[in-house]
Amino acid sequence: MARILAIDFGTKRTGIAVTDELQLIASGLTTVETPKLMDFLKKYIGQETVERVLIGQPLQKDGTPSDVETEIKKFLEIFSKEFPDMPFTRVDERYTSKMAFQTMIDSGLKKKQRRNKALLDEISATIILQQYLYND
């Protein structure tokens, strides 16, 4: 089988999570500076077998798109050209940042460690991936 990759897209940083090859376990992979995201994906997808990419869909509480959605759409245009055969799925990412922060607290991270935005983005991507696996 192949992996599923999840992306928590941000204007500065992008969190990335991935499943194992059996698609049972979601794990945080890394956080990449967003301008370097496409280079990272080319390298990773070139080395690993990826079946699908999940991209967080940031929505407001009322269901309207968040401000970052315009940047995500630009990214998706480039992604579709670079990986024309790679299916992608948008996944509602409402509350993932709050859930990620709570996960950091629950795991016993100190306040200083919880300020690590890169870790927060990686955990958010993992939550997006977990939600997809549980609901699929």
Side-chain angles (χ1 to χ4, degrees):
M1 289 185 77
R3 299 175 189 277
I4 299 173
L5 188 87
I7 296 173
D8 179 33
F9 189 92
T11 55
K12 295 179 184 177
R13 289 172 313 281
T14 296
I16 300 173
V18 68
T19 64
D20 61 312
E21 291 175 342
L22 296 175
Q23 300 179 4
L24 298 173
I25 301 169
S27 302
L29 181 62
T30 191
T31 302
V32 178
E33 293 175 28
T34 299
K36 299 177 183 177
L37 177 59
M38 195 54 66
D39 290 334
F40 174 85
L41 292 175
K42 286 179 194 175
K43 185 176 179 183
Y44 187 83
I45 292 172
Q47 293 174 342
E48 298 288 339
T49 305
V50 177
E51 173 182 300
R52 172 172 302 279
V53 175
L54 309 177
I55 298 145
Q57 187 171 21
L59 300 170
Q60 305 289 345
K61 287 180 183 178
D62 64 2
T64 59
S66 183
D67 294 340
V68 74
E69 183 65 21
T70 55
E71 296 300 316
I72 294 173
K73 286 185 177 180
K74 290 177 192 174
F75 164 75
L76 288 175
E77 285 180 30
I78 297 167
F79 180 86
S80 295
K81 288 177 186 169
E82 288 291 333
F83 306 101
D85 298 327
M86 178 65 67
F88 67 85
T89 302
R90 300 297 306 274
V91 178
D92 184 351
E93 66 171 58
R94 276 181 281 194
Y95 310 112
T96 56
S97 292
K98 287 182 182 180
M99 292 166 62
F101 190 75
Q102 188 60 49
T103 299
M104 293 170 85
I105 292 170
D106 294 346
S107 66
L109 292 179
K110 306 236 182 293
K111 276 189 179 182
K112 187 174 182 180
Q113 294 169 308
R114 292 193 306 251
R115 287 190 210 121
N116 182 348
K117 300 290 186 195
L119 180 58
L120 185 71
D121 293 337
E122 185 178 323
I123 294 170
S124 292
T126 307
I127 292 169
I128 290 168
L129 185 51
Q130 285 173 333
Q131 288 176 339
Y132 177 83
L133 291 174
Y134 294 151
N135 293 324
D136 192 37

